[in-house]
Every structure is written in structure tokens, then in C-alpha cells.
């Protein structure tokens, strides 16, 4: 049995060839990544079979399996509340990066409380370290998912009285062809530089902040109904925004945020819509 602080608690064995085998226990991912630097490692390969890999206090990967080379890089697999994931640790100039894919995007999103109900979809997420300790830049790409009963979307659509879309969201669900998110995860907050989602019925763009310690959201965005017909606006104002769109904000605690929609923004030409919003976060700065 090997325990290092409160982040590494496993059973460890060494094979005849010097290879390490971790056969059970738990590891906290953030601390593990902090201690691995690109191009350095244990000098031997490692086979890992963890009961649980802790992503954060609320989320973990069960039945985690990995085959890592002498630099601590290689493929892995597991499940988040039954939703299968696979991926790899790979080298970057600032340390190991992480790529995660899943054929059950809905399962992953429901397991991590991003949405309450959804079906289908594929997911790809990448996390790469920045020059600041504890920070990760990330991207998420989801394709062909159907979302149901999203509280945020229900409140926004209710505010602009889009009855058909409300019925769709409450019923079989709203189809989203593409969802793309670019963000930075720091110890204090998650900064969303851009998040876009669109399907035949709706287009959405969002940016803003989630303050972890406070459990507070501060988001702003644009929702464009009937996106399949309205999407010409994306050429002028950006992906996920149509020619006709409603500005909205989502602020407050995550379990009961305050959603405010500006109905008059629908009459603002898409080219000038950004005038009435604060600048989006810029991760390059």
C-alpha cells in the first residue's frame, strides 16, 4: 500500500522487468498532473487499474485503466457514472495534456450535472496546462445531441414566448448538431471564452464566468430561434447567432440562477449586437 498526502492512495507492485502496477485505490487527477512534467517520469512503464480517479470534489472516473510509458504518457479508459470514456495523456511544452472522448456525450453531461436530461451525442474534450500552476485551457466539442428540460433554456425560451420550442424542449428534446466550448479552468474560476450550440431550431452563443468558491454564474449570451433559417446572421455576428437574436444574462447561484432576456435586442441588427454587451473574456491575454 502506498499513500502520498491525500491525493495518492493505492496498492503498488513492481514486476520483474521493473514495471509498476497500480492495482487499486484512488488518485486526485489535478495533483497527479501537477507532479508530472513533460519529458520526465518514473523511468519505467506503469499499468494502472484504479477504483476511482478523482477529477474534482463532485466528479470522478470509476474503473480507471491506463498504460503509461516511462514519461507518464499513454492511453486510458474508464466510466463516469456508467458513461464510457477513453483518452490519452500526451506531451506538451508545459506538461502533460489530456484528451478525452466518449460515444455517450449525454451520459457524461448528465453524470457531471451539466444537463438534467439528454440523449445521444459524441464528445471530445482536450485539456492543456498553461504557464500558471493549477490552470488548464480546455476545449469541448459535442456532436448530434438531444437536450431535454434544460432549466436555462426553458427560462430563456419562456421569456421570449417561443411556444413551439418550449414544447419541443419539454417533450422529445431539442436537437443540437454542434456544441463547441473554449474555456480556462483555474483554482478560483472557470472562464468561458466562447460557447456555441446550434441545431435546426435554435442557435446559442455564451461567454462569461463561473466562480467556484461562491458557486456563482455570470454569463451573457445570444439565443437565435429557428436557426436553420436565421443563420445568415452568423456571417456577421459569429457562430451560434442568427440575424434575429435575443440577448440574455444568467447570473447568481448555480442551483437557482437569475435569467434575464432583453426582448428589444431582437430589433438590433446582428452586426451591432455586441455594442450592448460587455467584451467576452480573452484567454490569450
Amino acid at each position: 500500500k502506498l499513500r502520498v498526502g491525500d491525493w495518492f492512495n493505492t496498492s503498488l507492485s513492481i514486476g520483474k522487468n521493473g514495471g509498476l502496477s497500480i492495482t487499486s485505490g484512488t488518485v486526485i487527477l489535478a495533483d497527479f498532473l501537477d507532479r508530472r512534467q513533460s519529458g520526465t517520469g518514473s523511468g519505467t512503464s506503469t499499468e494502472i487499474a484504479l477504483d476511482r480517479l478523482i477529477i474534482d470534489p463532485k466528479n470522478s472516473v470509476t474503473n480507471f485503466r491506463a498504460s503509461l510509458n516511462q514519461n507518464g504518457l499513454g492511453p486510458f479508459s474508464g466510466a463516469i457514472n456508467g458513461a464510457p470514456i477513453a483518452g490519452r495523456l500526451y506531451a506538451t511544452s508545459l506538461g502533460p495534456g489530456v484528451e478525452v472522448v466518449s460515444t455517450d456525450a449525454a451520459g457524461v453531461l448528465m453524470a457531471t450535472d451539466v444537463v438534467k436530461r439528454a440523449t445521444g451525442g459524441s464528445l471530445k474534450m482536450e485539456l492543456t496546462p498553461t504557464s500558471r500552476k493549477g490552470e488548464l485551457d480546455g476545449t469541448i466539442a459535442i456532436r448530434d445531441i438531444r437536450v431535454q428540460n434544460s432549466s436555462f433554456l426553458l427560462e430563456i425560451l419562456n421569456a421570449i414566448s417561443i411556444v413551439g420550442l418550449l414544447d419541443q424542449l419539454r417533450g422529445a428534446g431539442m436537437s443540437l448538431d454542434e456544441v463547441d466550448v473554449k474555456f480556462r479552468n483555474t483554482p478560483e474560476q472557470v472562464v468561458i471564452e466562447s460557447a456555441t450550440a446550434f441545431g435546426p431550431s435554435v442557435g446559442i452563443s455564451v461567454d462569461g464566468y463561473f466562480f467556484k468558491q461562491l458557486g456563482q454564474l455570470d454569463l451573457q449570451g445570444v439565443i437565435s430561434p429557428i436557426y436553420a433559417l436565421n443563420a445568415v446572421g452568423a456571417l456577421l455576428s459569429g457562430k451560434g447567432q442568427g440575424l434575429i437574436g435575443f440577448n440574455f444574462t444568467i447570473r447568481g447561484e448555480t442551483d437557482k440562477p437569475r435569467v434575464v432576456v432583453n426582448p428589444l435586442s431582437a430589433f438590433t441588427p446582428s452586426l451591432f449586437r455586441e455594442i450592448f454587451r460587455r467584451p467576452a473574456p480573452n484567454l490569450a491575454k
Side-chain angles (χ1 to χ4, degrees):
K1 198 81 172 177
L2 177 63
R3 185 182 183 99
V4 181
D6 59 358
W7 68 274
F8 192 95
N9 184 12
T10 70
S11 294
L12 183 69
S13 63
I14 301 176
K16 292 181 179 180
N17 61 354
L20 300 178
S21 293
I22 299 173
T23 54
S24 64
T26 61
V27 171
I28 298 177
L29 178 62
D31 292 291
F32 174 78
L33 292 178
D34 278 346
R35 288 161 174 79
R36 307 294 299 194
Q37 295 297 322
S38 177
T40 65
S42 63
T44 185
S45 60
T46 307
E47 296 294 321
I48 300 175
L50 292 175
D51 300 321
R52 193 160 63 109
L53 178 67
I54 300 171
I55 302 172
D56 59 39
K58 292 185 177 180
N59 300 297
S60 60
V61 179
T62 56
N63 297 320
F64 180 79
R65 303 290 183 268
S67 296
L68 306 182
N69 63 19
Q70 64 271 23
N71 295 322
L73 309 174
F76 62 82
S77 63
I80 300 179
N81 197 26
I85 64 166
R88 64 189 179 102
L89 288 162
Y90 62 93
T92 78
S93 60
L94 295 172
V98 183
E99 179 185 86
V100 179
V101 297
S102 177
T103 56
D104 184 8
V108 173
L109 296 181
M110 288 189 292
T112 52
D113 289 330
V114 176
V115 297
K116 296 300 181 184
R117 290 180 62 192
T119 55
S122 62
L123 176 146
K124 180 179 180 181
M125 178 175 70
E126 289 203 44
L127 298 170
T128 55
T130 73
S131 58
R132 298 183 183 90
K133 183 179 179 181
E135 281 192 2
L136 294 170
D137 279 349
T139 60
I140 299 173
I142 298 170
R143 298 294 180 264
D144 302 320
I145 192 170
R146 186 175 290 272
V147 178
Q148 299 162 286
N149 284 331
S150 166
S151 57
F152 293 158
L153 280 176
L154 283 170
E155 288 201 47
I156 294 169
L157 293 174
N158 187 57
I160 58 179
S161 301
I162 308 294
V163 177
L165 295 184
L166 279 168
D167 292 341
Q168 187 180 113
L169 193 59
R170 288 170 176 152
M174 185 175 292
S175 176
L176 296 174
D177 299 331
E178 296 185 18
V179 180
D180 291 288
V181 184
K182 184 177 181 181
F183 66 96
R184 174 168 292 164
N185 185 42
T186 78
E188 297 81 25
Q189 63 184 1
V190 177
V191 182
I192 301 172
E193 182 179 79
S194 65
T196 60
F198 65 85
S201 302
V202 70
I204 306 165
S205 68
V206 179
D207 60 70
Y209 306 86
F210 167 57
F211 303 102
K212 294 180 179 179
Q213 294 181 347
L214 299 174
Q216 297 271 333
L217 292 167
D218 184 3
L219 306 176
Q220 63 178 7
V222 177
I223 185 166
S224 301
I226 323 175
Y227 188 72
L229 301 177
N230 196 10
V232 66
L235 299 175
L236 302 175
S237 53
K239 189 175 178 182
Q241 297 187 35
L243 192 62
I244 299 173
F246 298 84
N247 287 2
F248 65 86
T249 59
I250 301 173
R251 296 192 173 107
E253 297 180 2
T254 53
D255 57 348
K256 198 173 182 181
R258 184 175 70 259
V259 178
V260 177
V261 178
N262 179 4
L264 296 179
S265 59
F267 301 103
T268 304
S270 58
L271 185 62
F272 302 108
R273 199 173 289 143
E274 299 300 316
I275 295 174
F276 303 101
R277 304 169 66 214
R278 72 180 178 213
N282 185 351
L283 299 184
K285 292 183 178 179

